[in-house]
């Protein structure tokens, strides 16, 4: 069924003489055009060449990791995997604005944010290889594991932020979710709760314009996803999600405000999912190749490279060195992942229940006995 023409919030009723009691605006942040030329003055952090290059490296590493992870899945050595191809600026932009003691609540697509936070590639591979030992990562222990159910990390984030407020800690919960997740009741409830309690939480909506095969225009009739924050009583901003300066600046501002007790924010980062939804999907069945090709022109990595070349005296040698370094790091991590001893069969019953129900306890015992037989 084709939905009715979206009215995008227009008030077409007759009583135009009634007084307006509330008015809202949603701002959009962008610093770079797709070729990396500047649209406006950059925020202060961009003056530090080293940190800009490290963001570039973070995006390159994420892309190299994604490509190899897909190859591992295709050759039967990894389970289902979701890449962030074309969306690297979102995860790296927000993770780089967090402090170590903050808490990240990621979705299944946010490998790049975990890498930035210090989770190792072999931990991430173990997880996607179906081995729970990967979730016991060496990175920040307080960060949450990948959230596979869509949107359920949002109420968790509100709960984490409530705990920070209750304990009077200057820490912030950062929740990354998709455009599709914003249609979930859990997300609306989490935002409502965060607004009422003025919680230190940032909701970063990675609007890649698709929720598997559902395009944004079938997802919502709202003009922006940022405006969903307004109904919950806090600020929502839209940013160019392929512009890492815009994502980082918006995240830095929102995180600082949350830390200072000014409450939650929502950032809608508009990007595009250049790849399939996951390795279990074939996006060519529901979206035209020309659309994908058009969006490659907005590639966030090429954009930052364009900026570095024109403004930071970026050399081909530097570029090649970073690419080679990322490739080597990924290859070394894959070697370690493939060399890891297989997990014990009975461990499949672990980590889900605090106390294992008796039916599973019996099966666990059986698996253990078979191993020892
Ligand atoms: C509660 C729940 N419902 C359905 C699914 C199946 N599912 C997995 S991903 C997805 C789409 C999510 O889209 P979006 O929130 O835009 O995130 P994206 O995958 O685009 O990053 C759906 C429906 C799920 N994992 N969890
Ligand atoms: Mg999406």
């Amino acid at each position: 069924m084709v939905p009715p023409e979206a009215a995008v919030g227009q008030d077409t009723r007759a009583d135009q003489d009634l007084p307006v009691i509330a008015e809202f605006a949603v701002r959009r942040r962008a610093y770079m055009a797709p070729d990396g030329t500047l649209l406006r003055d950059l925020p202060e952090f961009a003056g530090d060449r080293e940190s800009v290059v490290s963001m570039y490296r973070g995006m390159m590493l994420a892309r190299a990791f994604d490509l190899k992870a897909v190859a591992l899945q295709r050759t039967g050595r990894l389970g289902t995997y979701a890449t962030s191809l074309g969306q690297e600026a979102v995860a790296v932009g927000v993770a780089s604005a967090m402090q170590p003691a903050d808490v990240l609540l990621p979705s299944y697509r946010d490998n790049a944010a975990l890498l930035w936070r210090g989770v190792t590639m072999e931990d991430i591979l173990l997880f996607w290889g179906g081995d729970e030992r990967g979730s016991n990562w060496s990175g920040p222990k307080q960060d949450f594991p990948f959230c596979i159910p869509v949107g359920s990390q949002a109420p968790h984030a509100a709960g984490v932020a409530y705990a920070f407020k209750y304990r009077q800690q200057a820490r912030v919960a950062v929740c990354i979710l998709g455009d599709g997740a914003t249609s979930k009741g859990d997300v609306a409830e989490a935002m409502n709760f965060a607004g009422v309690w003025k919680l230190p939480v940032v909701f970063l909506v990675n609007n890649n314009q698709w929720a598997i095969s559902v395009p944004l225009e079938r997802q919502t009739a709202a003009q922006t996803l940022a405006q969903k924050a307004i109904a919950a009583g806090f600020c929502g901003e839209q940013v160019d999600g392929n512009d890492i300066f815009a994502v980082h600046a918006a995240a830095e501002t929102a995180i600082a405000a949350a830390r200072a007790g000014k409450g939650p924010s929502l950032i809608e980062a508009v990007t595009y999912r250049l790849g399939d939804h996951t390795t279990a999907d074939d996006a060519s069945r529901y979206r035209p190749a020309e659309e994908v090709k058009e969006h490659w022109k907005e590639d966030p990595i090429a954009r930052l490279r364009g900026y570095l070349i024109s403004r930071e005296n970026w050399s081909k040698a530097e570029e090649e060195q970073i690419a080679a370094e990322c490739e080597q790091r990924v290859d070394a991590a894959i070697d370690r992942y493939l060399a890891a001893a297989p997990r014990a069969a009975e461990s499949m019953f672990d980590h889900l229940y605090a106390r294992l129900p008796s039916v599973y306890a019996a099966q666990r015992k059986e698996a253990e006995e078979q191993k020892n037989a």
Side-chain angles (χ1 to χ4, degrees):
M1 201 179 83
V2 178
E5 191 85 341
V8 285
Q10 277 162 1
D11 188 353
T12 52
R13 288 164 300 178
D15 303 327
Q16 295 297 317
D17 58 335
L18 294 176
V20 172
I21 54 148
E23 276 183 304
F24 308 100
V26 175
R27 296 185 194 282
R28 185 170 194 279
R29 193 188 290 263
Y31 296 96
M32 284 187 286
D35 64 356
T37 53
L38 292 185
L39 304 170
R40 55 193 288 241
D41 288 347
L42 287 177
E44 209 181 308
F45 67 81
D48 178 9
R49 187 184 199 271
E50 210 175 301
S51 56
V52 176
V53 171
S54 69
M55 286 183 202
Y56 178 82
R57 186 183 290 109
M59 290 200 288
M60 286 288 287
L61 184 66
R63 189 163 290 186
F65 181 69
D66 274 351
L67 288 175
K68 289 277 167 80
V70 171
L72 283 174
Q73 189 278 337
R74 296 289 189 243
T75 49
R77 292 174 293 175
L78 198 71
T80 304
Y81 183 81
T83 76
S84 61
L85 186 65
Q87 304 165 58
E88 295 88 350
V90 177
V92 174
V94 68
S96 57
M98 294 174 68
Q99 287 186 6
D102 294 337
V103 170
L104 176 71
L105 297 101
S107 89
Y108 46 81
R109 200 179 294 291
D110 304 316
N111 298 287
L114 270 74
L115 286 177
W116 186 277
R117 297 276 292 160
V119 179
T120 67
M121 286 181 268
E122 48 271 42
D123 284 335
I124 294 176
L125 291 170
L126 274 177
F127 175 84
W128 292 116
D131 189 331
E132 270 304 330
R133 289 175 300 182
S135 292
N136 187 22
W137 55 50
S138 41
K141 294 283 188 199
Q142 78 278 12
D143 283 1
F144 274 47
F146 292 108
C147 190
I148 311 294
V150 170
S152 64
Q153 71 275 38
H156 298 161
V160 169
Y162 185 89
F164 291 158
K165 187 166 176 136
Y166 182 74
R167 297 174 187 166
Q168 300 185 321
Q169 294 175 330
R171 298 167 71 189
V172 179
V174 175
C175 178
I176 311 182
L177 56 146
D179 43 298
T182 64
S183 301
K184 288 291 306 295
D186 330 34
V187 176
E189 290 168 29
M191 293 208 294
N192 188 63
F193 182 77
V196 169
W197 287 91
K198 256 185 146 196
L199 298 180
V201 53
V202 175
F203 298 100
L204 194 289
V205 177
N206 180 346
N207 178 2
N208 63 10
Q209 304 186 49
W210 289 90
I212 313 186
S213 55
V214 178
L216 188 65
E217 66 269 19
R218 298 291 298 272
Q219 187 65 249
T220 180
Q223 208 172 346
T224 69
L225 298 177
Q227 73 203 53
K228 297 200 173 200
I230 294 169
F234 54 92
C235 179
E237 172 181 328
Q238 190 181 81
V239 306
D240 183 336
N242 295 328
D243 173 345
I244 195 158
F245 293 142
V247 179
H248 185 92
E252 201 176 46
T253 307
I255 290 171
R259 205 182 305 287
K262 293 182 184 156
S265 307
L266 184 151
I267 300 164
E268 175 193 359
V270 182
T271 177
Y272 187 84
R273 199 193 76 210
L274 290 174
D276 293 332
H277 169 68
T278 65
T279 49
D281 176 47
D282 174 7
S284 69
R285 293 177 58 182
Y286 55 81
R287 61 180 194 184
E290 302 80 64
E291 178 183 312
V292 182
K293 202 171 149 207
E294 269 309 296
H295 282 284
W296 265 105
K297 293 178 186 160
E298 296 164 358
D299 175 9
I301 297 185
R303 185 176 307 202
L304 187 59
R305 191 184 299 129
Y307 165 83
L308 286 166
I309 291 167
S310 67
R311 311 282 297 204
E312 292 286 356
N313 207 12
W314 182 249
S315 69
K316 192 86 193 147
E318 269 179 294
E319 185 182 321
E320 285 170 359
Q321 196 237 322
I322 286 184
E325 179 203 310
C326 290
E327 192 99 344
Q328 278 161 14
R329 283 179 61 192
V330 174
D331 286 345
I334 288 176
D335 287 346
R336 288 192 292 272
Y337 160 65
L338 294 175
R343 66 176 188 160
E346 68 273 16
S347 72
M348 78 174 90
F349 298 102
D350 299 341
H351 312 302
L352 193 55
Y353 296 95
R355 198 176 316 129
L356 203 59
S358 55
V359 59
Y360 294 138
Q363 290 179 27
R364 191 186 193 285
K365 196 155 168 270
E366 204 178 307
E368 232 177 329
E369 281 165 3
Q370 271 178 14
K371 185 181 63 179
N372 298 329

